[in-house]
């Protein structure tokens, strides 16, 4: 039951360029979508979120876009920095799952200097 | 603010043995979660507590996994007997409460279990 899907296992980007990480979901009842970032040997840390009633949320170099009709969201990182190299998890909360946070499989981002 | 504490960080056991993981959430966080993360996959919720009551344990393999949160603070997750497929990182997380908007989770560093 994969309600949240990240179809790209990895992404490689040059420093200074834009990184775009994608996420698709199947449950139209989700209330919030979140992105978490994970470094090796650490737990995931919260990065940015977006309510289902909005289509964009920006925080510094990070912007999340939500396309509800396509059930798709994306995380843009501009400009990308080597320290952004990590695994990024898309997550969703609400709907039939109640307050359960459901995670995608993650996308590993490599930012080359 | 102290983060979510977990121990042990690493554990290696043989199949059919038992293991226990401990978690101390952020002070004041009412909700506590245990997630299982298998290599190459996203975290999967095993059990969710609100204070010391279970909110969701629908994906907890109850024949071998158990968890408790006595006094609504610390929590332990136990596996007995362990199987090879239990090899994973066990992540504990906490949040203020279930009704806090986007319900941001704060994770501990995880406990890596290897079952031989």
């Amino acid at each position: 039951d994969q309600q949240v899907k990240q179809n790209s296992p990895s992404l490689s980007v040059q420093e200074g360029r834009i990184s775009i990480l994608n996420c698709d979901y199947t449950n139209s009842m989700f209330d919030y979508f979140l992105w978490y970032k994970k470094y090796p040997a650490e737990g995931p840390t919260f990065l940015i979120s977006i309510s289902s009633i909005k289509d964009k949320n920006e925080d510094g170099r990070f912007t999340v876009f939500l396309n509800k009709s396509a059930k798709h969201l994306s995380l843009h990182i501009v400009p990308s920095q080597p320290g952004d190299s990590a695994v990024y998890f898309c997550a969703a909360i609400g709907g039939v799952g109640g307050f359960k946070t459901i995670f995608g499989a993650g996308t590993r981002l490599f930012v080359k200097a | 603010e102290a983060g979510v504490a977990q121990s042990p960080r690493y554990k290696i056991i043989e199949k059919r043995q038992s293991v226990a993981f401990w978690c101390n959430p952020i002070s004041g966080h009412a909700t506590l979660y245990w997630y299982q993360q298998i290599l190459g996959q996203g975290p999967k919720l095993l059990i969710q507590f609100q204070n010391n009551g279970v909110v969701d344990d629908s994906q907890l393999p109850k024949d071998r996994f158990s968890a408790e949160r006595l006094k609504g603070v610390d929590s332990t997750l136990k596996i007995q007997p362990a199987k090879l497929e239990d090899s994973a990182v066990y992540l504990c997380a906490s949040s203020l409460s279930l009704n806090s908007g986007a319900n941001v989770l704060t994770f501990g560093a995880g406990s890596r279990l290897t079952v031989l």
Side-chain angles (χ1 to χ4, degrees), chain B:
Chain B
E1 174 182 80
V4 176
Q6 288 189 246
S7 68
R9 289 296 310 275
Y10 304 93
K11 189 75 177 178
I12 300 174
I13 61 173
E14 297 194 348
K15 60 184 179 184
R16 291 188 288 275
Q17 287 187 322
S18 62
V19 63
F21 302 111
W22 172 83
C23 173
N24 182 242
I26 289 176
S27 177
H29 278 195
T31 314
L32 184 146
Y33 314 76
W34 284 101
Y35 280 84
Q36 179 193 59
Q37 187 183 7
I38 292 172
L39 188 65
Q41 300 180 20
K44 183 185 90 171
L45 180 68
L46 292 176
I47 188 167
Q48 182 172 323
F49 294 93
Q50 176 79 354
N51 297 309
N52 60 352
V54 175
V55 174
D56 187 332
D57 64 356
S58 57
Q59 297 194 82
L60 186 74
K62 298 180 186 63
D63 57 335
R64 299 183 301 106
F65 286 64
S66 65
E68 61 182 9
R69 190 184 184 196
L70 300 176
K71 302 179 183 177
V73 182
D74 292 9
S75 177
T76 57
L77 175 71
K78 296 179 181 177
I79 308 174
Q80 180 179 15
K83 292 186 175 181
L84 296 177
E85 59 261 35
D86 298 332
S87 294
V89 176
Y90 291 86
L91 293 162
C92 179
S94 67
S95 66
L96 274 171
S97 78
L98 288 176
N99 298 319
S100 54
N103 194 38
V104 173
L105 306 183
T106 302
F107 283 89
S111 295
R112 179 179 294 278
L113 173 66
T114 302
V115 182
L116 303 175

